[in-house]
Amino acid sequence: MHTHALNSARRRSLKPATRETIAFYLFILPWLLGFVIFTFGPMIASAFLSLTEYAVIGPPVWVGLANYREMANSDLFWKSMGNTLFMVALDLPLGLIASLAVAVLLNQRLRGVNIFRSIFYLPVLIPTIANILVWIWIFDKDAGVLNYFLKLFGLPPQPWLQSEEWAKPSLILMNLWGVGGAMLVYLAGLKGIPRELYEAAQIDGSTSAQA
C-alpha cells in the first residue's frame, strides 16, 4: 500500500511536459527498435564490410579503401552513376510535377471527382509483384501491348526493357504509374487551403489557373 502511494506521488510530481515526453518515447519505442535493428544496424555493418575483403565463408579481412579504389577505376561504376543521375534528374521532377498536376485537377468541384481520385490512387494499392507483371506484359517485345499499337501504325516493335536506349524511359514511365501516393499528399495540402483565399484571389483579378 505504501509503495503504491509512493509511486502515485512520484507520477503526480512529474511535470506535464515530462510525462508527455516519456509517453512520446514509449509510443515510438517499437519503431525506434525496428529502425536500429533493421536499418541503422545494417547500414553500419555494410559500411564496415565495404572496407574489408569478405568471402562470407571466412572472417572479413581489413583492406581499407582498396574496394573503393577498384570501384572508381571501373567503367561499369561510372556508367551506373550516370544512369542514376539521369533517373534522378528526370524521373524525380516528372513525378513531382505529374502528382501535383493531378492533385490540382482532382481538387476541383466536379461531379464524380471522387471516382477519379480512387482511380488515380488505385495503382498504389496494387501489390508490387502484380504491377511488375502488368508492365512486363505491356513492354514485352513479342506480345506486348505497346508493340501491338506500334505495329498498327506501321512502326517496328522495340525491345523496351532490353534496350539500352529505351530501358530508362520505360522505367520512368513505370514510376509515373504510381504518382497516386504523392498526389494524395498534395491533395490533402490543397484541401487544407481555406476557400476564402481562393475567393480573395479571384476578387483581386486572378484567373482560375493562377488561383
Side-chain angles (χ1 to χ4, degrees):
M1 185 68 179
H2 177 70
T3 303
H4 178 72
L6 185 60
N7 291 334
S8 300
R10 287 177 178 174
R11 285 196 296 269
R12 287 195 299 268
S13 65
L14 293 176
K15 295 180 179 180
T18 304
R19 289 200 297 269
E20 290 180 1
T21 302
I22 294 174
F24 166 76
Y25 282 110
L26 287 176
F27 275 113
I28 70 167
L29 185 60
W31 175 88
L32 198 60
L33 289 175
F35 173 77
V36 171
I37 296 172
F38 298 109
T39 303
F40 185 71
M43 287 173 58
I44 299 299
S46 298
F48 169 75
L49 291 175
S50 70
L51 302 173
T52 66
E53 184 71 30
Y54 184 41
V56 181
I57 58 176
V61 179
W62 182 266
V63 295
L65 298 177
N67 291 329
Y68 290 95
R69 286 193 293 267
E70 182 180 353
M71 181 177 64
N73 293 326
S74 172
D75 294 336
L76 185 61
F77 167 73
W78 293 110
K79 185 176 182 179
S80 64
M81 287 293 293
N83 290 334
T84 302
L85 290 176
F86 177 86
M87 294 295 292
V88 171
L90 193 60
D91 182 36
L92 186 60
L94 282 177
L96 293 176
I97 293 171
S99 57
L100 180 59
V102 173
V104 171
L105 289 175
L106 297 181
N107 192 40
Q108 308 301 316
R109 292 184 175 181
L110 300 175
R111 179 179 297 179
V113 69
N114 290 332
I115 298 176
F116 288 101
R117 290 173 184 171
S118 302
I119 292 173
F120 276 98
Y121 188 69
L122 188 61
V124 181
L125 303 178
I126 298 176
T128 304
I129 187 63
N131 271 324
I132 292 174
L133 292 175
V134 168
W135 282 107
I136 289 177
W137 172 58
I138 293 174
F139 287 128
D140 187 80
K141 180 182 178 181
D142 300 318
V145 176
L146 199 53
N147 281 336
Y148 172 77
F149 284 105
L150 289 180
K151 292 178 182 178
L152 291 180
F153 291 97
L155 299 174
Q158 300 294 331
W160 299 101
L161 297 177
Q162 293 80 26
S163 168
E164 186 175 348
E165 180 183 1
W166 289 106
K168 287 181 286 188
S170 301
L171 292 175
I172 291 175
L173 183 60
M174 291 172 62
N175 290 335
L176 290 178
W177 172 256
V179 297
M183 176 271 295
L184 192 66
V185 175
Y186 285 126
L187 185 60
L190 292 172
K191 286 296 181 183
I193 300 176
R195 179 58 56 180
E196 292 78 7
L197 293 181
Y198 291 106
E199 296 173 353
Q202 292 175 354
I203 292 174
D204 290 338
S206 299
T207 63
S208 299
Q210 292 172 337

